Each structure stands twice: as C-alpha cells, then as structure tokens.
Amino acid sequence: MIIVLKKNITEVQQEHIRSFLVGKGYTVKEIIGEEETVFGAVGQSSLDLREVELLEGVTKVIPISKPYKLASRELKKEDTIVTVGKVKIGGNRVAIIAGPCAVESQKQIMEIAQAVRDAGAVMLRGGAFKPRTSPYAFQGMGEEGLKYLKEAGEKYGLPITSEIVNPGDVDMMAKYIDMFQIGARNMQNFELLKAVGKTGMPVMLKRGLSATIEEWLMAAEYLMASGTDQIVLCERGIRTYERATRNTLDCSAIPVIQKMTHLPIIGDPSHATGIRDMVSPMALALVASGSSGLMVEVHNHPELALSDGPQSLYPSQFEKLMRDLHALCPVVGKSLERIPLSLPSVKKGDAKGKKASSLTVAFQGERGAFSEIAIRRSFDESATTLPCKQFGDIFEALMQGEATYGMIPLENTLGGTIFDTLDLLDRYPDIQVVGEQQIRIVHNLITLPGAKLEDIRKVYSHPQGLAQCVDYLRGELSHAEAIPFFDTAGAVNFVKTSNDKTLAAIAGSPAALAHDMEILAEGIESNPRNYTRFYIICNEEMAQAFRSISPVNRASLRFTVQDRPGSLFEALFVLTKHGLNMKKLESRPIPGKPWEYSFFVETELGQAEGSFEHALDELKSCCASVRVLGTYTAGI
Ligand code: PEP
Ligand code: MN
C-alpha cells in the first residue's frame, strides 16, 4: 500500500506510522517525491487499510493494484536514477556499458577498457563466471578475472559490472565490482536474487529467455524486497520461434516497462541479435525506443574471443556506433552520459558573503525553460537550478558566487546565433566556457486544463518560439493572435495565473509539467530539425578545476585584427596552418568603436600535440587582441 503523508507531519508521527506497520509485519520504504512524501509498505498481512488511514499524519492510503509493489510506478512516480560509482543510469541519460563477453587475460581487458573508454563508454563489463550452455565451453576466469576487471576499471575510470551465478559468491564479488549483473538464465533464481538484493548494491537484471514483462518485474521485486532499490533492467531479447537471430529483441518492452515501473531500463543488442552486423542498428533502435543505456559487447580480436566473438563489435565499429548515438540522442530528447566527471564542488562564499549552497546552475527564464532542460541533461538531478530574469544576471550570479555554473544558449539551428550571450562572454573576462550541451527544441501548445483549441484567442511565447511555430499559428491557430513574451516557460506561468481558458502558451513540455498545465498539441514546430546549443560557463577558478578532469576537443576564441589589408585572412590562415578545423565564425561590432568588429571563432583543437597552443602563440603576434573564451568537449 501507499501511505501519503501530510506535508506538515512531525518526525514523531512518521516514526509512529513506521513502527505500527513494521509491527504488523510490513517492510516500509520512505519515498520522497517532488510533490509529496509517501511510505510504501509491503507485506503479507491482510491489514484493514482504514486502520492506517486513521493514524496521525496520514493523508490517504492507496492499495497498490500490481503484484510488483515496490517496483511499480503507482508507488513512485519519478524515475529512479541508479548510481554506479560516478555514473548515473536513468531518466534522459543514455549510459553506455561496453566490454568483452568474458575477461580472458589482463592484457585483453586492459586493451578493451582503453578502447571503449576512448570511444565514450562510461562503464566496463566483462564476465568472470560464464553460464554456458555447454559444460565444455569456457567457463570464465573466476576471481582472477574480477581482479583484472577491477584493475582495468580503476585505470580507465570506469565502474565495472560482472555476472554473478552463485549466491555463495556475493561477498567475494562485492569486493571487486560496482554493479552485479544477473543474467537471463538466472532471472528467476530466487535465492540468488535474495542474496544479491541484501547487499543493497546496484544490480543489472537481465530479462529471462522466456520471461514475460510481469515475471521480470516480479524478479526485480525480489531484489527490492531484499534490500536494494538500485536496479537497472536490461532487455536482451527473448526466445521466439524466429531463428534468424539468436533471440528476438523486444524493443516495445522499453516503453511498456517505463509505464509500469520507475526503474531504469537499458538494452543489450549483442545477446539480442548474436550477429555483429546487427548490433549497431539494434542499439540505435533501443535508444530510439527510450532506452536509458546500452550494454554492448566489444572485443579487440573477436575472431579469437573465447565466448560470443560473432556478436562482439570491433573497437572501430563501437566508435562509429558512439558517433551515431551522439547524433541520435538529441533527436529523441536524450543525452549521452559522458565519462564520469566529478564536477568541482562550489566555491565557499565570496566577498559579499553569499554562497551557493550546493551545485547551483543559473539559467535565464522560468522553471521548465529549455535552458533548464539543458541543465538537467548536463548535471546531476541534485544540482539546484537558479532562474534568472536576464542573461546578464547569470553572469552576475557567477561573479557573486551565487551559482557555480551557468547554462547559456549560444545558437539555434533555425534562429542562428544568440548575440546577447556571445557579447556577454566578451564583457565578462573572468567567465570561461567549460562545456557544451545540445537539445532538440520541441514546442507544445499549453493551456489551462479543459481549454479547447477553438476557444483560444491569444498565444504567448518567446519571439523565437512563435517564429518556429509559424505554420501551426497560421493553420490550426489562425483564429488566435500571437503575442511575444520574454520567455517560453514564463508565458506558461502567465497563462496559468491569468486563469483564462482562451489563452495559450508555446513552450517545452517540462514547462507544462512545472506549472501543472495541459498540453493541447505536441510537436507544433514547423521544422522538427530544431536544436539549440548551449554553453556551460563558470568562473576562472572553477574552470581550471573542471578542465583538469575533463578531456577537451574544442576552443572558443574572440579576437580583433589590425585595420589593414589581409589581417583577418592572416588570422584565419594560422588555424589552417596548424590543422585546426574552424567550426563557427561571427563578427560583432566593438562597443564604443563604430564600424570596428571583433571576431568570434570556434575551432577543433587538432590532432597533433600542442597544435592549438602553437596556433594561439601565432595568433597573439598577428592579431590586435586574442582571448580564449574557453576549451571544452563538443558533442557532435
Ligand atoms: C552476458 O551478458 O554475457 C550474458 C551471458 O548475457 P545474458 O544473460 O543476457 O545471456
Ligand atoms: Mn556474452
């Protein structure tokens, strides 16, 4: 049952409810949601729910209709985000786990770990105990294999996962691995589930060869009832009559599961297909279906692999898959989890004595704005977001120590460069660019609940939002007047407070959610290939700490040139000479110097060691001024 607690409940009352339930034989879990705090109570006793309803501090009691209780969405509405070391799995992230089917030697796992890490995997896999169909096939290296796996994971900064097949190995394996894997053949090995669940450690639970979704969730329930809520489900294909592939990948299980449970689900295209050439297309299909990650088998010499060679990708194929995923993720509203970064913690206080209490990220607009969506893709759920009225306020918040990072839009694929933010970067020499994020912009028509399309008279949104939905505004909404507003999410709030069902706003879906409003029409933008690219900015001190742990492949520069023939050409030629691929060029007027311009350039850092540094030295000698706005990792 779900016990919804009163907002002002006291600790004593909570404790009383808990001990009452425990006394009746229930296991009680506290779930703190955004809206409300609930207790989830599961047990075998048949208690009259009214007895619980009468306890002090209880708002209501709702029975859970599904046989899987702790795993059900009924109990917990928000997505569970599973934490494995520094890696998070769940929500809108796509976390890639890669590695060989089995650890075969120290050299083999080291080489593969480096290859998959370099391509962008965030976790390393490798079996040490292999449940093989034949007793004569390679059974894995056992504990020795786990030692090598751990060594490789530590060397390359990747948390590790490995399959457990025997309940007696739990304590031994827990010393090495970061996440248990329970394989398809053991999904209903209930003693194993109980033993692993008791550790409280993260577990990846694969779908059984012929398990229904409900049976699979019941297996997850075993893990949860025994003590862990850190469970990642993994679809790996099921046994059907079709023999062309090793198994039949059930992509539809992904959206089905997401409705039924709050637990994250990832996909394994390797065991699903069993055929190397089919792994990448199915990997993309899994992500397009909403999967929060993938587990992919990669081998440096698949032809020599001791198990599952035919389905293991070559490192070069894996790298190509990662590039395809970079392109796909923003299209389906996801972002690829990057190599785990422990983001530098906040600066403690400042001259004015204000301080950011946790990792705080400032953005322009109101809650639910596209910038806030970008923040959620880049940072941990626990990061606090700080809404600002103007772009300039973000820079001020950073200078005053009220925010650790800022998220600023730089350009949109339809609207072009956002000059306000570009110029602010010039005005604040202490602020640096340390990262980038791209999101797809999907617009929605948002109204008060119960509003009807034909009654809408006025539509509010940011001018860019209105411009991007021009076909819809001229078509289905031609009877309404389009009115520019300072921000998309702000427009939603405005419509909400007006309490007028003839008004509507155009904004992203999180804005509707944040303000409890209704989405009357989804995806109303004229061009679906609509992306906005953001910069992550911070102060100098934080930038240094950030770069020391984050690989960089791109730089943003601002420079001015002398007023003589060929000066811009000379500056750009420096980039060519050092093999730096220029990605963006803008010219901007210099304030106070009519008809003079400064140039903004984004460039790749080049292959050769030190090429960027050499180019920078040369630029300094041929330009009137040069400033590096930042170096960072660019997505695509
Ligand atoms: C594996 O991941 O190596 C494995 C054996 O997978 P499954 O349990 O899905 O067959
Ligand atoms: Mn395998």
Side-chain angles (χ1 to χ4, degrees):
M1 74 187 99
I2 302 163
I3 300 122
V4 182
L5 304 179
K6 290 210 164 115
K7 286 216 160 53
N8 56 359
I9 187 169
T10 64
E11 296 237 335
V12 177
Q13 287 170 337
Q14 282 206 29
E15 219 19 72
H16 180 244
I17 300 168
R18 192 189 288 275
S19 51
F20 173 83
L21 291 165
V22 170
K24 300 275 182 193
Y26 281 84
T27 308
V28 183
K29 290 210 190 292
E30 182 181 5
I31 296 154
I32 303 171
E34 273 187 16
E35 299 286 314
E36 57 195 16
T37 298
V38 305
F39 277 162
V42 288
Q44 286 162 357
S45 92
S46 52
L47 183 64
D48 185 337
L49 300 193
R50 285 169 301 183
E51 273 192 62
V52 186
E53 213 145 35
L54 288 174
L55 297 174
E56 296 274 359
V58 173
T59 303
K60 57 181 168 184
V61 179
I62 310 162
I64 303 175
S65 60
K66 303 287 186 302
Y68 46 91
K69 311 276 178 199
L70 297 170
S72 79
R73 270 269 183 224
E74 284 175 65
L75 178 67
K76 183 167 179 255
K77 292 189 188 66
E78 287 93 12
D79 289 342
T80 287
I81 309 291
V82 171
T83 305
V84 191
K86 289 182 203 155
V87 173
K88 306 254 181 202
I89 304 176
N92 288 323
R93 299 175 183 75
V94 172
I96 308 297
I97 306 168
C101 179
V103 181
E104 297 166 7
S105 70
Q106 187 188 32
K107 184 166 178 288
Q108 173 244 21
I109 192 67
M110 282 294 176
E111 282 181 19
I112 298 174
Q114 177 164 18
V116 299
R117 195 279 314 259
D118 287 354
V122 292
M123 278 187 67
L124 180 66
R125 64 152 283 149
F129 298 95
K130 297 303 303 173
R132 303 302 296 277
T133 307
S134 160
Y136 309 117
F138 174 59
Q139 304 285 307
M141 291 183 81
E143 188 167 353
E144 191 187 1
L146 293 176
K147 279 188 191 146
Y148 298 148
L149 187 66
K150 184 173 163 71
E151 205 184 310
E154 279 171 0
K155 174 149 186 209
Y156 294 104
L158 304 170
I160 59 173
T161 183
S162 196
E163 180 169 354
I164 181 160
V165 293
N166 181 351
D169 287 340
V170 166
D171 293 340
M172 181 275 289
M173 286 190 73
K175 287 195 299 210
Y176 297 101
I177 59 170
D178 302 292
M179 175 164 76
F180 284 103
Q181 176 180 325
I182 293 190
R185 289 154 196 84
N186 276 311
M187 189 204 84
Q188 283 186 318
N189 181 340
F190 300 116
E191 291 314 309
L192 185 65
L193 294 171
K194 284 192 246 175
V196 170
K198 263 193 218 141
T199 64
M201 280 175 61
V203 189
M204 186 209 304
L205 178 65
K206 289 194 142 193
R207 182 175 182 179
L209 297 172
S210 58
T212 64
I213 290 175
E214 189 165 304
E215 284 163 345
W216 188 12
L217 288 179
M218 288 310 289
E221 190 74 14
Y222 258 95
L223 288 168
M224 295 192 84
S226 330
T228 182
D229 49 13
Q230 297 288 288
I231 301 164
V232 178
L233 300 163
C234 179
E235 162 61 40
R236 46 78 72 205
I238 45 175
R239 183 67 64 87
T240 66
Y241 50 81
E242 182 52 64
R243 304 305 329 138
T245 47
R246 184 173 174 181
N247 291 292
T248 300
L249 177 62
D250 183 9
C251 272
S252 56
I254 309 263
V256 171
I257 281 273
Q258 283 165 340
K259 274 211 167 1
M260 296 165 85
T261 178
H262 50 86
L263 296 171
I265 174 160
I266 67 166
D268 169 354
S270 308
H271 294 87
T273 59
I275 303 164
R276 181 175 309 123
D277 289 352
M278 290 170 194
V279 170
S280 293
M282 290 304 102
L284 296 173
L286 281 160
V287 171
S289 311
S291 171
S292 290
L294 296 172
M295 184 156 87
V296 183
E297 286 186 343
V298 179
H299 201 290
N300 47 353
H301 302 291
E303 60 291 350
L304 303 177
L306 297 180
S307 61
D308 286 349
Q311 69 193 34
S312 300
L313 294 185
Y314 285 94
S316 58
Q317 291 178 309
F318 178 64
E319 201 206 329
K320 159 84 168 59
L321 170 62
M322 290 302 293
R323 274 189 277 124
D324 289 348
L325 289 169
H326 265 301
L328 173 64
C329 283
V331 180
V332 294
K334 299 259 182 189
S335 66
L336 259 188
E337 176 86 335
R338 294 253 167 90
I339 291 192
L341 294 180
S342 47
L343 293 169
S345 61
V346 266
K347 191 177 145 202
K348 294 267 185 295
D350 80 323
K352 294 195 174 167
K354 292 179 186 168
K355 61 181 173 188
S357 58
S358 64
L359 190 114
T360 303
V361 191
F363 69 100
Q364 188 270 333
E366 291 203 15
R367 299 234 167 262
F370 288 109
S371 297
E372 200 185 30
I373 303 174
I375 293 174
R376 289 289 166 233
R377 300 270 168 83
S378 293
F379 294 89
D380 213 78
E381 274 73 10
S382 60
T384 309
T385 52
L386 176 68
C388 298
K389 265 218 135 30
Q390 317 274 353
F391 287 127
D393 300 341
I394 302 176
F395 288 74
E396 282 303 317
L398 293 174
M399 297 302 292
Q400 304 302 331
E402 288 162 14
T404 332
Y405 297 98
M407 183 67 78
I408 55 168
L410 177 77
E411 61 177 335
N412 173 268
T413 45
L414 303 180
T417 301
I418 296 146
F419 292 119
D420 284 353
T421 51
L422 196 60
D423 291 344
L424 278 161
L425 283 169
D426 212 26
R427 289 227 300 277
Y428 284 84
D430 294 334
I431 300 297
Q432 296 262 315
V433 178
V434 289
E436 128 183 324
Q437 180 59 266
Q438 303 183 16
I439 62 167
R440 180 173 164 203
I441 305 295
V442 177
H443 285 300
N444 304 278
L445 188 71
I446 299 170
T447 58
L448 286 158
K452 293 202 183 68
L453 189 65
E454 60 272 24
D455 298 337
I456 303 297
R457 291 285 158 263
K458 290 180 179 165
V459 195
Y460 297 84
S461 190
H462 188 279
Q464 286 237 6
L466 296 174
Q468 289 166 10
C469 299
V470 65
D471 294 342
Y472 188 80
L473 291 170
R474 285 193 192 139
E476 284 89 331
L477 261 188
S478 56
H479 55 282
E481 185 190 354
I483 303 172
F485 207 80
F486 78 100
D487 142 57
T488 53
V492 177
N493 194 20
F494 173 75
V495 172
K496 172 157 185 152
T497 41
S498 74
N499 207 17
D500 181 347
K501 287 190 183 162
T502 68
L503 307 187
I506 292 178
S509 57
L513 211 69
H515 297 287
D516 249 337
M517 296 280 276
E518 195 161 289
I519 294 182
L520 213 55
E522 260 182 301
I524 58 170
E525 65 279 5
S526 306
N527 187 336
R529 300 185 70 174
N530 183 4
Y531 301 89
T532 297
R533 197 155 75 89
F534 294 81
Y535 272 165
I536 302 171
I537 55 172
C538 61
N539 68 27
E540 187 88 45
E541 186 191 337
M542 198 61 70
Q544 275 184 19
F546 195 99
R547 283 194 200 107
S548 66
I549 50 164
S550 156
V552 293
N553 60 13
R554 192 164 298 189
S556 296
L557 307 169
R558 189 114 181 192
F559 60 85
T560 54
V561 293
Q562 264 125 25
D563 189 12
R564 60 174 170 73
S567 57
L568 175 60
F569 169 78
E570 276 168 35
L572 296 182
F573 187 65
V574 171
L575 303 181
T576 316
K577 215 166 89 187
H578 291 278
L580 305 184
N581 187 18
M582 185 170 73
K583 302 300 281 185
K584 185 173 169 67
L585 172 65
E586 291 283 357
S587 73
R588 295 294 299 148
I590 303 175
K593 294 189 179 174
W595 320 125
E596 287 188 37
Y597 302 88
S598 72
F599 299 95
F600 168 86
V601 157
E602 263 190 32
T603 173
E604 285 176 358
L605 290 187
Q607 299 294 329
E609 184 88 25
S611 46
F612 177 65
E613 288 71 18
H614 295 313
L616 198 57
D617 284 345
E618 258 184 69
L619 274 177
K620 282 181 184 155
S621 60
C622 76
C623 293
S625 69
V626 183
R627 189 188 143 211
V628 180
L629 300 175
T631 54
Y632 51 91
T633 314
I636 323 170

